[in-house]
C-alpha cells in the first residue's frame, strides 16, 4: 500500500499538511479539554448554561467583529491579482498563516468581548458562558460540525477521483468537445465538480492539443463541469453539502433537474455555435493531423468508481444522531467522516499508483483548500451569528434579489461562504403563510 502522501508529493505539501494537523490538533484539543470532567467531580461545561446576555438571539456581535472574515475573503480574491503579493500568496504556508492569524483574531473576540450565549450545535447545548466556554462552542460549530465534514468529503472525492485516468486522443470535433462537457456535467453532480474536472480535463486538453483555437473550450469546461454541472446532489458542489449539513434533505436538489438541464444545455449550445465557427477557421493542416493522430479513449482505475459510489451512499445514509437505515443504531458524530477516510485508504490500497502519477496528481490543491477553509469556517461564525438575528433587516426579501446578490458576491468570493451567509439570512426571514 502506497503512503497517502506519496503520489507526486512535494516537500511543501508535507510541511503544509503538518501545519494544518498541528492547528486542528490544537483547536480540537482546546475544545476537548474544556469538556473534560471537572476535578472536583462536578459537571463540566457539557451542562447547558445560559449566558448573562440571556437568550443567544438577544445579542448581536458588532459589525467590526466581521473584519477578520472580510479581510480573509478579500485576501483570497485580491492578493493573487497583485504582482506585489501574487508570488508570496502562491506559497500555501503563507495562506495558512493568514487564515490562522485571522481565525485567531476571531477567537480572541469570542474569548474577551463576547458575552456568551453561543449555542453549541455539535453537542446540542443551548448556550455558553462568557470567555473560554464561548470559544469552545465556536470551535465546535466551526470545526466539528462544519469544517471536518466539509474537508473530509472534498478530500475523499479528490483523492479517489485522482486514481481514475482517462488516456487517448479523440479528434477534437465540435460534437466531441460538446460530449466532454455533457458527460462532465453528469459526473459533476455525483463525484463533485473537482472530481469530474480531474477525470476529464486531461483527455479534453489532449484532444484539443493540436488546435489553434482551444482556449474557449477550457472556459466553457469551467462553466459546465466546474460550476453548473454539480447541482443535483450535495456531493456535487461544496455549498450544497454545507446546506445538507444544515438540514437540507439529500435529495432536495434533485427537484432542480429542469433548471440543471436548461442551464447546461443552453451553455453547451452556445459553446457549439462558437466552436463550430472556430473549427471552420482552423488551419486545414491542424485538422488533418488531428484526425491522423486520433486514438480511442482508455480508462484506468475504473474500480475507483465503486469507491466514489460508496462515498455518495455514505453521505446520503449516515446522518449524525439519526438511526442508520434499517437499524436501531444511532450514528455517532463524525462516523461518516471516519468511513470516508477508510474509503480513501481502500482506494489507495487497491489502485495502481501509476494512474495517479499519469494524472500529475498531487495534494497541493486540496491542502490549499484545507488551509484557507480552516480560517474561513472559524471567521464565519461572527457573520452567521449576526445574520441569524438581523438577517431579516438586510432588505433581501425576494428570490430575485437573493439570486442577483448571491451571484454578484460568489463571482469574486468563494461560493461556499457566500452560500452559508445567505442561507443564514434566508432562515431569519419571516415565513409567509
Amino acid at each position: 500500500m502506497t503512503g497517502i502522501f506519496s503520489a507526486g508529493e512535494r516537500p511543501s505539501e508535507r510541511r503544509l499538511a503538518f501545519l494544518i494537523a498541528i492547528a486542528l490538533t490544537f483547536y480540537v484539543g482546546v475544545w476537548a479539554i474544556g469538556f473534560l470532567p471537572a476535578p472536583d467531580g462536578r459537571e463540566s461545561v457539557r451542562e447547558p448554561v445560559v449566558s448573562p446576555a440571556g437568550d443567544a438571539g438577544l445579542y448581536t456581535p458588532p459589525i467590526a467583529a466581521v473584519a477578520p472574515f472580510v479581510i480573509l475573503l478579500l485576501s483570497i480574491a485580491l492578493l493573487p491579482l497583485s504582482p506585489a503579493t501574487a508570488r508570496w500568496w502562491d506559497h500555501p504556508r503563507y495562506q495558512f498563516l493568514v487564515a490562522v492569524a485571522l481565525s485567531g483574531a476571531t477567537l480572541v473576540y469570542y474569548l474577551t468581548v463576547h458575552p456568551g450565549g453561543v449555542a453549541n450545535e455539535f453537542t446540542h447545548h443551548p448556550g455558553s458562558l462568557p470567555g473560554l466556554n464561548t470559544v469552545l462552542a465556536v470551535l465546535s460549530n466551526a470545526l466539528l460540525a462544519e469544517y471536518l465534514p466539509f474537508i473530509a468529503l472534498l478530500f475523499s472525492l479528490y483523492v479517489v477521483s485522482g486514481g481514475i485516468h482517462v488516456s487517448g486522443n479523440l479528434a477534437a470535433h465540435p460534437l466531441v468537445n460538446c460530449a466532454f462537457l455533457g458527460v462532465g456535467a453528469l459526473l459533476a453532480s455525483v463525484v463533485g465538480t473537482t472530481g469530474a474536472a480531474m477525470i476529464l480535463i486531461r483527455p479534453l486538453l489532449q484532444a484539443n492539443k493540436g488546435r489553434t483555437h482551444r482556449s474557449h473550450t477550457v472556459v466553457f469546461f469551467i462553466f459546465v463541469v466546474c460550476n453548473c454541472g454539480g447541482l443535483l446532489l450535495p456531493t456535487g458542489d461544496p455549498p450544497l453539502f454545507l446546506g445538507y449539513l444544515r438540514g437540507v434533505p439529500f435529495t432536495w436538489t434533485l427537484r432542480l433537474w429542469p433548471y440543471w438541464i436548461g442551464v447546461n444545455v443552453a451553455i453547451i449550445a452556445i459553446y457549439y455555435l462558437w466552436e463550430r465557427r472556430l473549427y471552420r477557421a482552423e488551419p486545414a493542416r491542424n485538422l488533418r493531423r488531428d484526425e491522423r493522430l486520433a486514438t480511442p479513449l482508455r480508462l484506468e482505475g475504473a474500480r475507483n468508481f465503486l469507491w466514489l459510489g460508496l462515498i455518495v451512499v455514505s453521505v446520503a445514509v449516515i446522518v449524525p444522531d439519526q438511526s442508520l437505515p434499517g437499524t436501531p443504531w444511532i450514528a455517532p458524530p463524525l462516523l461518516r467522516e471516519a468511513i470516508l477516510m477508510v474509503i480513501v485508504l481502500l482506494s489507495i490500497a487497491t489502485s495502481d499508483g501509476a494512474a495517479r502519477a499519469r494524472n500529475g496528481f498531487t495534494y497541493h490543491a486540496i491542502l490549499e483548500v484545507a488551509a484557507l477553509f480552516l480560517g474561513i469556517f472559524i471567521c464565519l461564525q461572527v457573520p452567521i451569528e449576526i445574520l441569524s438575528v438581523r438577517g431579516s433587516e438586510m432588505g433581501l426579501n425576494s428570490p430575485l434579489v437573493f439570486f442577483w446578490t448571491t451571484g454578484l458576491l460568489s463571482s469574486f468570493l468563494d461560493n461556499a461562504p457566500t452560500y452559508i451567509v445567505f442561507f443564514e439570512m434566508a432562515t431569519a426571514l419571516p415565513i409567509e403563510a
Side-chain angles (χ1 to χ4, degrees):
M1 176 176 172
T2 58
I4 195 166
F5 284 102
S6 59
E9 181 195 3
R10 289 180 279 180
S12 61
E13 294 174 7
R14 184 185 294 272
R15 287 194 295 269
L16 180 60
F18 184 66
L19 290 174
I20 295 172
I22 289 177
L24 277 175
T25 301
F26 174 75
Y27 284 145
V28 177
V30 170
W31 176 86
I33 291 172
F35 279 79
L36 290 175
D40 60 0
R42 293 175 301 172
E43 288 293 324
S44 67
V45 293
R46 290 175 184 269
E47 185 69 23
V49 292
V50 179
S51 75
D55 182 73
L58 297 179
Y59 177 77
T60 304
I63 294 297
V66 182
F69 176 67
V70 174
I71 292 172
L72 181 54
L73 292 187
L74 290 178
S75 298
I76 296 170
L78 300 179
L79 291 183
L81 303 179
S82 171
T85 57
R87 291 188 61 185
W88 175 83
W89 182 254
D90 190 50
H91 292 282
R93 63 179 177 273
Y94 296 126
Q95 301 174 6
F96 171 77
L97 291 176
V98 169
V100 169
L102 293 171
S103 61
T106 298
L107 293 178
V108 168
Y109 158 75
Y110 277 107
L111 180 68
T112 60
V113 178
H114 198 284
V118 174
N120 191 324
E121 302 298 338
F122 185 77
T123 54
H124 307 293
H125 292 139
S128 65
L129 290 171
L132 180 59
N133 290 338
T134 294
V135 172
L136 300 178
V138 169
L139 288 176
S140 290
N141 296 338
L143 300 183
L144 303 180
E146 295 179 344
Y147 177 79
L148 288 180
F150 174 84
I151 208 65
L153 176 64
L154 289 189
F155 181 78
S156 59
L157 290 174
Y158 181 84
V159 175
V160 175
S161 299
I164 300 172
H165 178 68
V166 181
S167 58
N169 184 16
L170 297 180
H173 300 156
L175 287 177
V176 169
N177 285 336
C178 287
F180 270 110
L181 301 184
V183 172
L186 289 170
L187 275 178
S189 281
V190 180
V191 304
T193 52
T194 302
M198 184 176 295
I199 294 171
L200 293 177
I201 187 60
R202 291 185 181 276
L204 178 67
L205 293 176
Q206 180 63 32
N208 289 270
K209 185 177 180 180
R211 291 275 303 272
T212 301
H213 307 288
R214 58 176 183 259
S215 58
H216 68 291
T217 297
V218 177
V219 173
F220 277 88
F221 183 87
I222 294 172
F223 288 163
V224 175
V225 181
C226 301
N227 286 281
C228 300
L231 175 65
L232 297 182
L233 290 175
T235 53
D237 216 19
L240 301 181
F241 182 66
L242 294 175
Y244 176 57
L245 294 178
R246 282 169 161 72
V248 178
F250 185 84
T251 58
W252 186 89
T253 46
L254 283 175
R255 69 181 68 185
L256 302 176
W257 67 264
Y259 311 102
W260 178 86
I261 290 177
V263 168
N264 286 293
V265 167
I267 294 175
I268 294 174
I270 294 171
Y271 167 76
Y272 175 74
L273 296 176
W274 193 341
E275 162 71 352
R276 188 175 63 173
R277 181 177 65 85
L278 293 178
Y279 187 81
R280 290 172 178 172
E282 195 74 27
R285 65 179 181 278
N286 289 355
L287 299 181
R288 289 194 298 268
R289 183 173 64 248
D290 192 38
E291 296 286 350
R292 185 175 66 253
L293 298 178
T295 58
L297 294 180
R298 180 172 175 265
L299 179 64
E300 297 177 78
R303 70 181 61 186
N304 283 293
F305 282 109
L306 169 63
W307 304 126
L308 289 172
L310 287 178
I311 290 174
V312 175
V313 172
S314 299
V315 173
V317 303
I318 302 176
V319 180
D321 299 324
Q322 294 187 19
S323 60
L324 297 173
T327 74
W329 298 324
I330 302 299
L334 302 181
L335 171 66
R336 175 180 57 206
E337 288 66 42
I339 290 177
L340 294 183
M341 293 303 99
V342 171
I343 294 173
V344 168
L345 294 176
L346 289 173
S347 170
I348 294 174
T350 60
S351 300
D352 182 4
R356 284 189 171 83
R358 281 189 282 273
N359 276 335
F361 178 86
T362 73
Y363 292 90
H364 184 84
I366 194 64
L367 288 176
E368 282 192 354
V369 172
L372 290 172
F373 273 88
L374 178 64
I376 286 175
F377 276 105
I378 294 176
C379 295
L380 188 57
Q381 299 308 303
V382 174
I384 285 177
E385 195 177 359
I386 293 175
L387 293 173
S388 64
V389 179
R390 305 296 183 189
S392 60
E393 303 172 7
M394 299 295 181
L396 303 179
N397 51 15
S398 72
L400 184 64
V401 175
F402 268 93
F403 176 83
W404 286 108
T405 308
T406 54
L408 177 65
L409 283 180
S410 62
S411 64
F412 65 92
L413 299 177
D414 190 89
N415 54 13
T418 300
Y419 180 98
I420 295 176
V421 166
F422 284 90
F423 185 94
E424 294 296 331
M425 190 177 297
T427 57
L429 295 176
I431 300 176
E432 297 182 0

